[in-house]
Amino acid sequence: MEVGNSKLIDITELGDERGLLTVIEGNISVPFEINRVFYIYKTLPGIRRGFHAHYKTRQALISVSGSCKVYLDNTRRKTDVLLDSPTKVLILEPNDWHEMYDFSPDCVLLVLASHLYDAEDYIRDYDKFLEVYGR
Ligand code: TYD
């Protein structure tokens, strides 16, 4: 499903009598090489985070436990996405402004990123975002 410039995909759950397992491989399940992994957890009630876009970093967001929502803005459309399953993957493109919110207390939001951390790759000013990606 298209959401902003990004895409929400479902990945296959592998299960047997022991329980469940889900696999994500770089350049296969996600359309980029994975160079960085981070996770956001124990987010306090009412917190909203993100508030940026990127120049080059592509990301995959998965709520591996609990749930949260992601607000996306591609300068033309604003969309809200619910991540409430370890098999739902949001392939987040650099040109979508994003904010994460409504974290459940047990939410662990796993983020796979195409590039190493680089503060210069962030667009944190909304007017700058419109200047770079607006019409
Ligand atoms: P921040 O960008 O504020 O998180 P969010 O966009 O989710 O609100 O990141 C919090 C801090 O962590 C900030 O000081 C930058 C640092 N950080 C790294 O050092 N490496 C990383 O890969 C990330 C995502 C953040």
Side-chain angles (χ1 to χ4, degrees), residues 19-133:
L20 301 171
L21 183 155
T22 297
V23 189
I24 296 178
E25 291 174 295
N27 283 324
I28 300 175
S29 341
V30 296
F32 53 84
E33 192 182 309
I34 299 164
N35 278 300
R36 178 166 52 106
V37 174
F38 61 94
Y39 30 97
I40 294 170
Y41 53 103
K42 293 196 180 175
T43 306
L44 296 178
I47 290 292
R48 203 170 172 102
R49 57 188 305 167
F51 299 96
H52 61 256
H54 290 280
Y55 289 104
K56 61 180 186 199
T57 301
R58 303 179 80 190
Q59 297 175 96
L61 274 64
I62 308 120
S63 182
V64 292
S65 164
S67 65
C68 69
K69 291 177 185 156
V70 186
Y71 165 83
L72 300 171
D73 175 352
N74 72 354
T75 78
R76 296 174 303 283
R77 275 191 317 277
K78 299 169 191 349
T79 319
D80 292 272
V81 180
L82 173 66
L83 296 179
D84 61 351
S85 159
T87 64
K88 271 192 195 176
V89 182
L90 176 63
I91 306 293
L92 178 61
E93 297 298 340
N95 54 350
D96 273 339
W97 178 270
H98 54 281
E99 299 170 17
M100 293 82 82
Y101 66 104
D102 266 7
F103 289 86
S104 64
D106 60 342
C107 181
V108 180
L109 180 63
L110 177 66
V111 182
L112 314 175
S114 61
H115 289 75
L116 299 181
Y117 179 71
D118 174 10
E120 298 294 306
D121 188 53
Y122 282 69
I123 306 173
R124 294 192 180 274
D125 180 83
Y126 189 75
D127 289 334
K128 176 74 178 172
F129 164 70
L130 292 179
E131 191 186 307
V132 173
Y133 289 122

